[in-house]
């Protein structure tokens, strides 16, 4: 059932300059709490392992190579409030800290169960573990800079710079390009390289250090790991697993992410499971990676992940564990799964070791597809709000600007709600004084409107009505 969320309010949005008015913002955060309560997030979300069982697991992918800790903190806050089950991030201590800080900040606003924190690593060369590189001084001044325009993470920034250089005949002032790739923002999508008219951009691959990862896994605030592998050769996977297996006792979930590699895919998955099984004390999950880092491109990007799920559904000798889609996932993924009859379809399975933590009453069956992971698309719909906030206020905590938090949360709820199926609830009428508190102004003279599916709010001169449309 499609949901549509639009907020239409005749009100002048308050913009903060200089010091943040925390007293006013504390009142404004009431609208955020009301939105979470109105959509029924707390009543729908369950323990992450139960979400896998039901088929309504949702994971936020911050990016295996995305390391902008300010954005990661704010993304984690917003999607925790939206009810995700897991937040996947780079295997870096500062990034893990940012995710956990965002989670705790969200739970101070509305008390919800904590999503699991997952770190991502690779066993060999992998598209998710690379960064764009180029020397901006090699770029012609008259270049149209298509790399800046196409980058979905705003990770390339170029500007002209004057440099004085000594020559034998004297000194000359040269105009050069400076800047380049903002390393912590680049997540390796690779879109910049083919559009460079001078072929100056290269992609630098790297592999996460196994010893550093093993130490991270011992932290109490890391719950899961995801190993990215090609699925074509299992030797690199076995080597990494041998390095990490002594640290897996601290975990709740071990995930393996791989693309469809033809007829040998399922055989490789079963081989990898056999390697893990003797030292697997927790749940395991297979991430079916369709078209990596492409969900923000358009509707069709999700087709490959759905096709992967359909192929797996037709196989009898499925590997043990849960299955989750990723790679190109976006707002159209659930619709595509429904057309294939794969959305929250129950699979009768053995009461195997990997399902031991499940409730006894439901251990004999679980959803064929445990859920969906959203990366580029999830970051895009919230990231544009973060960009707007930063353009007005600089680097900031999103909860300090609740009008931005409300808009970002509405976008996140729209996406997460397609999987969680948040229940409609009764409408809530806000009086005019309550509207003034929510918006943070007393003079209703302007116009504030944004459109996001899930909740509808309309304003007349006296009341603001909030409720769900289905």
């Amino acid at each position: 059932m499609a949901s549509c969320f639009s907020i239409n309010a005749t009100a002048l949005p308050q913009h903060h300059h200089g010091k943040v008015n925390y007293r006013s913002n504390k009142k404004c955060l009431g609208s955020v709490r009301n939105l979470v309560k109105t959509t029924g997030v707390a009543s729908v979300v369950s323990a992450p392992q139960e979400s896998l069982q039901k088929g309504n697991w949702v994971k936020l992918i911050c990016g295996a190579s995305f390391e902008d800790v300010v954005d990661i903190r704010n993304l984690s806050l917003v999607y925790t409030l939206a009810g995700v089950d897991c937040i996947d991030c780079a295997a870096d201590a500062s990034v893990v800290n940012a995710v956990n800080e965002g989670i705790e900040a969200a739970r101070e606003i509305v008390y919800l169960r904590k999503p699991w924190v997952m770190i991502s690593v690779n066993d060999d060369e992998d598209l998710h573990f690379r960064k764009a590189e180029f020397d901006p001084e090699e770029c012609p001044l008259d270049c149209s800079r298509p790399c800046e325009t196409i980058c979905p993470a705003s990770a390339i920034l170029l500007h002209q710079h004057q440099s004085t250089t000594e020559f034998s005949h004297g000194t000359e002032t040269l105009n050069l390009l400076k800047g380049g790739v903002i390393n912590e923002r680049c997540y390796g999508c690779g879109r910049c390289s083919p559009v460079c008219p001078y072929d100056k951009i290269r992609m630098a691959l790297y592999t996460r250090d196994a010893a550093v990862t093993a130490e991270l896994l011992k932290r109490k605030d890391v719950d899961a790991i995801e190993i990215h592998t090609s699925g074509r050769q299992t030797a690199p996977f076995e080597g990494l697993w041998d390095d990490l297996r002594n640290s897996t006792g601290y975990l709740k979930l071990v995930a393996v992410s791989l693309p469809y590699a033809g007829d040998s895919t399922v055989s490789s998955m079963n081989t990898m499971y056999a390697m893990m099984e003797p030292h697997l004390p927790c749940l395991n999950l297979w991430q079916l990676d369709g078209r990596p880092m492409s969900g923000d491109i358009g509707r069709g990007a999700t087709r490959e992940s759905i096709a992967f799920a359909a192929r797996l559904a037709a196989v009898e000798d499925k590997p043990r564990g849960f299955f989750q889609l990723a790679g190109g996932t976006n707002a159209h993924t659930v619709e595509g799964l429904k057309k294939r009859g794969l959305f929250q379809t129950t699979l009768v399975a053995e009461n195997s070791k990997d399902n031991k933590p499940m409730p006894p009453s439901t251990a004999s069956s679980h959803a064929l597809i445990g859920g969906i992971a959203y990366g580029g698309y999830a970051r895009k719909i919230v990231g544009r709000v973060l960009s707007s906030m930063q353009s007005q206020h600089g680097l900031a905590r999103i909860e300090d600007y609740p009008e931005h938090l409300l808009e970002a949360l509405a976008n996140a709820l729209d996406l997460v709600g397609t999987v969680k199926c948040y229940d409609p609830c009764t409408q809530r009428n806000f009086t005019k004084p309550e509207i003034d508190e929510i918006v943070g102004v007393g003079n209703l003279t302007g116009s504030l409107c944004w459109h996001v599916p899930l909740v509808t709010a309309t304003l007349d001169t006296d009341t603001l009505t909030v409720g769900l449309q289905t």
Side-chain angles (χ1 to χ4, degrees):
M1 187 181 298
S3 300
C4 185
F5 177 17
S6 59
I7 295 181
N8 301 283
T10 306
L12 181 66
Q14 182 180 19
H15 300 299
H16 303 283
H17 298 281
K19 287 188 176 182
V20 175
N21 187 337
Y22 291 106
R23 185 175 180 181
S24 173
N25 284 350
K26 187 175 181 180
K27 293 181 179 179
C28 291
L29 285 173
S31 60
V32 174
R33 296 187 186 96
N34 287 327
L35 179 54
V36 173
K37 292 175 183 178
T38 301
T39 53
V41 174
S43 62
V44 174
V45 296
S46 54
Q49 62 267 33
E50 293 179 13
S51 297
L52 283 169
Q53 186 93 1
K54 297 173 183 175
N56 67 359
W57 157 280
V58 179
K59 183 178 81 169
L60 166 67
I61 303 174
C62 291
S65 293
F66 188 65
E67 297 166 323
D68 185 321
V69 294
V70 176
D71 267 15
I72 288 168
R73 179 199 181 277
N74 288 331
L75 283 166
S76 299
L77 187 158
V78 171
Y79 278 98
T80 295
L81 290 176
V84 298
D85 298 282
C86 183
I87 299 176
D88 182 5
C89 67
D92 176 89
S94 61
V95 172
V96 172
N97 291 341
V99 171
N100 279 289
E101 185 179 329
I103 291 171
E104 291 309 315
R107 298 177 81 225
E108 288 179 7
I109 298 170
V110 179
Y111 187 77
L112 296 167
R113 63 98 176 92
K114 290 180 66 174
W116 287 346
V117 176
M118 172 186 284
I119 59 174
S120 278
V121 297
N122 54 325
D123 64 4
D124 204 348
E125 292 186 355
D126 186 280
L127 296 179
H128 300 86
F129 298 84
R130 61 181 185 172
K131 299 276 189 180
E133 290 182 348
F134 68 94
D135 183 351
E137 293 188 5
E138 294 181 359
C139 300
L141 289 175
D142 61 352
C143 181
S144 60
R145 306 177 193 175
C147 57
E148 278 187 319
T149 305
I150 202 169
C151 179
S154 301
I156 298 178
L157 185 62
L158 295 165
H159 59 273
Q160 286 197 31
H161 173 77
Q162 287 190 336
S163 175
T164 302
T165 305
E166 294 284 345
F167 293 98
S168 58
H169 58 272
T171 61
E172 287 189 16
T173 299
L174 303 176
N175 288 321
L176 300 172
L177 284 179
K178 291 288 186 180
V181 178
I182 304 171
N183 196 59
E184 65 270 20
R185 291 197 61 82
C186 176
Y187 61 83
C189 71
R191 298 177 205 176
C192 56
S193 181
V195 302
C196 176
Y198 302 100
D199 197 26
K200 298 290 185 182
I201 303 176
R202 56 194 173 275
M203 303 304 297
L205 294 153
Y206 68 94
T207 304
R208 290 287 181 187
D209 184 85
V212 173
T213 301
E215 289 303 309
L216 279 175
L217 294 179
K218 296 176 184 178
R219 290 178 48 154
K220 293 182 179 179
D221 55 4
V222 173
D223 306 292
I225 187 172
E226 182 165 271
I227 300 173
H228 288 252
T229 186
S230 68
R232 294 178 176 84
Q233 297 179 345
T234 56
F237 177 87
E238 185 175 22
L240 179 58
W241 180 251
D242 286 344
D243 290 336
L244 298 178
R245 67 186 188 186
N246 291 334
S247 302
T248 59
Y250 301 87
L251 301 179
K252 299 181 177 76
L253 178 72
V254 171
V256 178
S257 177
L258 75 166
Y260 182 72
D263 295 340
S264 64
T265 303
V266 173
S267 175
S268 295
M269 292 167 75
N270 281 314
T271 299
M272 287 186 282
Y273 180 81
M275 294 172 180
M276 293 190 294
E277 198 272 339
H279 303 279
L280 188 63
C282 58
L283 301 172
N284 79 288
L285 177 147
W286 302 96
Q287 177 165 284
L288 312 181
D289 197 12
R291 183 179 175 183
M293 299 175 286
S294 65
D296 60 307
I297 293 176
R299 182 187 187 98
T302 193
R303 291 173 186 157
E304 289 186 34
S305 63
I306 295 171
F308 193 169
R311 293 187 187 101
L312 199 63
V315 174
E316 292 186 7
D317 187 25
K318 298 177 181 65
R320 291 182 176 182
F322 294 100
F323 304 110
Q324 168 220 279
L325 271 62
T329 51
N330 53 35
H332 305 285
T333 303
V334 168
E335 178 188 351
L337 285 173
K338 287 179 177 178
K339 287 180 179 179
R340 298 285 191 114
L342 296 174
F343 183 64
Q344 297 180 358
T345 302
T346 301
L347 171 72
V348 177
E350 299 176 19
N351 188 8
S352 57
K353 179 178 178 179
D354 51 300
N355 288 328
K356 187 180 292 184
M358 290 299 168
S361 61
T362 58
S364 62
S365 66
H366 60 77
L368 172 61
I369 303 300
I372 301 171
Y374 296 104
Y377 184 79
R379 295 193 299 271
K380 177 182 179 179
I381 61 175
V382 170
R384 55 196 176 203
V385 181
L386 298 181
S387 295
S388 174
M389 179 183 72
Q390 289 176 9
S391 67
Q392 297 175 52
H393 310 293
L395 297 179
R397 307 184 315 170
I398 194 169
E399 68 269 32
D400 291 340
Y401 300 94
E403 69 273 22
H404 293 288
L405 175 55
L406 185 62
E407 184 179 359
L409 177 58
N411 283 319
L413 283 167
D414 176 26
L415 181 62
V416 177
T418 61
V419 184
K420 292 292 186 183
C421 304
Y422 292 136
D423 294 328
C425 59
T426 57
Q427 290 189 337
R428 163 81 193 278
N429 292 322
F430 294 87
T431 64
K432 188 171 181 179
E434 287 179 308
I435 298 169
D436 292 346
E437 283 193 4
I438 288 173
V439 179
V441 295
N443 184 18
L444 304 177
T445 57
S447 177
L448 171 65
C449 174
W450 62 86
H451 173 80
V452 195
L454 217 38
V455 174
T456 298
T458 56
L459 176 73
D460 57 31
T461 55
D462 298 310
T463 63
L464 175 69
T465 302
V466 178
L468 286 174
Q469 274 188 346
T470 56

